[in-house]
């Protein structure tokens, strides 16, 4: 219990530090969002008094600009804890009402891509390990290295150029066909899946190479262990050895990486969503940065930070259940 409490406390502290640092960095930047808002209001209504401008900025951002910085910080943190992230300057809507509906779309893209990349990657990696040194292994390793070194936006642009424009097989933007009625009906769900093909492929193609190479290395290491020789001498079937002993022990070191990858679901598709004009969390985050929309920007940063910290914390707390050697958490007995 002490270890769980310690890890949860560290996670909360991490979120607090990141949010505080983001607040300070953005707030203290010269020509930052407050100055931008002030200039915008002066331009739109030259008869506004300074006090009225400050009041409107405070209403939009939860920050009273005429107060000392520490008071602004406390006001923002208190409002954030209460679920009030302010109002978007660009969209003129509450931040929560913009980010909230965008979350399922981002989760759909990144979770689908991660699932495909992970399942295909570990399957291919295990097969490569059993075929170590063969032409298939050499070719697959080369392809995996190439894909793992290629940025996802390059793959996205290639897919748009060929599958989107040249052969016109898939749409190049949007979440679904605009003429359809939204809801749980087959035409709408089919359109969502159809529009998500290219963004998902862009992330999955880049991701599966790394999983395959990791699985290959882990499997080769496990295949050389003494307990596998004992298993073969006992007459266990190859299928049972592969699934029960090799795969289980080879996947175990990748568990933390998988949890961290799950934690990046909101931040992992920032560029891809903008390339495909796909209105998810990453799409709105880039729009907020370009428009210096401070409240929306902070909302995106906080969401990404919290998701990442939750993923890492879950990995840390559950790893001991998968590998009993890691139980005990913070104990220093192992070293």
């Amino acid at each position: 219990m002490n270890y769980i409490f310690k890890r949860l406390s560290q996670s909360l502290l991490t979120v607090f530090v990141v949010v505080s640092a983001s607040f300070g960095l953005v707030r203290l930047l010269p020509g930052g969002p407050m100055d931008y808002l002030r200039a915008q209001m002066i331009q739109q209504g030259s008869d506004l008094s300074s006090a009225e401008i400050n009041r409107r900025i405070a209403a939009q951002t939860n920050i009273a600009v005429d107060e000392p910085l520490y008071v602004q910080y406390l006001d923002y943190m208190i409002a954030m804890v209460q679920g009030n992230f302010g109002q978007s300057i660009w969209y003129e809507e509450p931040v929560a009402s913009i980010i909230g509906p965008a979350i399922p779309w981002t989760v759909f893209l990144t979770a689908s891509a991660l699932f495909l990349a992970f399942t295909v990657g570990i399957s291919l990696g295990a097969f490569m390990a059993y075929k170590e040194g063969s032409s298939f292994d050499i070719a697959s390793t080369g392809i995996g290295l190439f894909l793992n070194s290629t940025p996802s936006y390059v793959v996205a642009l290639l897919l748009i150029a060929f599958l989107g424009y040249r052969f016109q097989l898939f749409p190049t933007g949007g979440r679904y066909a605009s003429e359809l009625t939204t809801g749980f009906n087959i035409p709408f769900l089919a359109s969502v899946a159809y529009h998500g093909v290219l963004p998902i492929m862009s992330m999955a193609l880049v991701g599966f190479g790394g999983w395959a190479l990791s699985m290959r290395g882990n499997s080769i290491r496990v295949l050389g262990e003494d307990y596998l020789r004992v298993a073969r001498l006992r007459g266990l079937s190859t299928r049972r050895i592969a699934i029960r002993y090799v795969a289980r022990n080879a996947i175990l070191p990748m568990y933390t990486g998988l949890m961290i990858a799950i934690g990046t679901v909101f931040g992992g598709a920032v560029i891809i969503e903008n390339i495909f004009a796909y209105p998810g969390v990453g799409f709105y985050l880039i729009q907020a940065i370009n428009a210096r929309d401070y409240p929306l920007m902070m909302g995106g940063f906080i969401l990404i930070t919290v998701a990442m910290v939750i993923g890492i914390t879950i990995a840390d707390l559950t790893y001991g259940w998968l590998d009993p050697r890691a139980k005990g958490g913070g104990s220093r007995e192992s070293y």
Side-chain angles (χ1 to χ4, degrees), residues 68-85:
L69 185 59
Y70 75 92
V71 176
Q72 299 176 23
Y73 170 74
L74 290 175
D75 288 344
Y76 183 81
M77 296 298 283
I78 292 171
M80 185 194 72
V81 171
Q82 295 172 344
N84 181 6
F85 295 91

Side-chain angles (χ1 to χ4, degrees), residues 152-173 198-199 201-202 275-276:
S152 59
Y153 61 84
V154 173
V155 177
L157 294 175
L158 290 173
L159 292 176
I160 288 177
F162 287 97
L163 300 183
Y165 289 110
R166 186 175 181 84
F167 300 109
Q168 298 184 349
L169 296 176
F170 299 100
T172 58
L198 292 188
M201 283 180 64
S202 302
I275 290 176
F276 289 97

Side-chain angles (χ1 to χ4, degrees), residues 10 15 20 154 170 172 191 213 255 265 278 300 335:
Q10 289 174 343
V15 173
S20 301
V154 173
F170 299 100
T172 58
S191 180
L213 293 176
Y255 176 71
V265 290
Y278 197 93
Y335 57 91

Side-chain angles (χ1 to χ4, degrees), residues 111-182:
S112 301
L114 179 60
F115 174 77
L116 289 175
F118 185 75
T119 53
V120 174
I122 61 171
S123 302
L124 180 63
F127 195 63
M128 289 161 62
Y130 272 94
K131 298 293 182 182
E132 183 186 8
S134 66
S135 300
F136 172 79
D137 177 38
I138 295 172
S140 299
T141 301
I143 294 172
L145 285 172
F146 174 75
L147 291 176
N148 197 41
S149 306
T150 305
S152 59
Y153 61 84
V154 173
V155 177
L157 294 175
L158 290 173
L159 292 176
I160 288 177
F162 287 97
L163 300 183
Y165 289 110
R166 186 175 181 84
F167 300 109
Q168 298 184 349
L169 296 176
F170 299 100
T172 58
R175 300 184 297 199
Y176 52 85
S178 57
E179 68 273 14
L180 295 176
T181 303
T182 59

